[in-house]
Amino acid sequence: MQLAEAFAITPVQASYELTVYLVFAATGPLFVLPVANTYGRRPLLVIASLLAGVTNVVAAYSPSWTGILVTRVFNGVATGCLAALGPPIICDVYFLHERGFYMGLWAFFVNNGVHVAPLLGGPIAQNIGWRWCFGIPVSLLETSGL
């Protein structure tokens, strides 16, 4: 495991990077969504998107294991917030008769990302390095114009 080798830690310790992300992605919306109900979804969507991108860049260039864990905490909160805002935004944007289709698309991509990520991340980490697993999502957002 390249991450474990890069920071001289065990593979179990390296797996904490994903664990920390998942814990905060699951619990973050509990604290963030009341803010969205008060101040609106758009500001929160913009801030969470920006935070997710910035924390990925910082993780890609992080010289320490602690730095990666801290960035994954904030990245988890940001992406958890984005995932939680998906259904309400779809309900705001689309008519009742259109919502099923777009909610299905949203659910398909959110639920299958965890299946596709290892299939893409493994070859990326093996061939060009683990840091690109954090950098490529940001570069894809940049090239898409978001």
Side-chain angles (χ1 to χ4, degrees):
M1 182 172 208
Q2 291 187 3
L3 196 59
E5 292 171 5
F7 292 105
I9 56 176
T10 67
V12 172
Q13 289 173 314
S15 71
Y16 294 160
E17 176 264 328
L18 179 62
T19 304
V20 165
Y21 168 79
L22 290 174
V23 166
F24 283 91
T27 58
L30 295 172
F31 305 105
V32 174
L33 286 181
V35 175
N37 292 334
T38 304
Y39 297 105
R41 294 183 186 118
R42 186 176 188 276
L44 196 57
L45 184 70
V46 170
I47 291 168
S49 298
L50 183 64
L51 182 62
V54 167
T55 55
N56 263 354
V57 170
V58 172
Y61 290 103
S62 178
S64 70
W65 177 240
T66 305
I68 288 185
L69 288 180
V70 169
T71 60
R72 297 308 281 169
V73 166
F74 290 106
N75 194 273
V77 171
T79 56
C81 174
L82 294 172
L85 286 173
I89 289 173
I90 289 171
C91 289
D92 286 346
V93 173
Y94 296 103
F95 293 111
L96 185 61
H97 66 280
E98 298 174 316
R99 288 183 194 161
F101 175 75
Y102 291 105
M103 195 69 77
L105 281 177
W106 177 85
F108 175 79
F109 285 108
V110 167
N111 293 325
N112 288 305
V114 296
H115 305 298
V116 175
L119 298 174
L120 298 174
I124 288 169
Q126 186 175 12
N127 294 317
I128 59 177
W130 65 267
R131 294 184 188 275
W132 282 98
C133 291
F134 296 115
I136 287 177
V138 176
S139 63
L140 289 176
L141 284 176
E142 182 180 294
T143 58
S144 69
L146 295 177

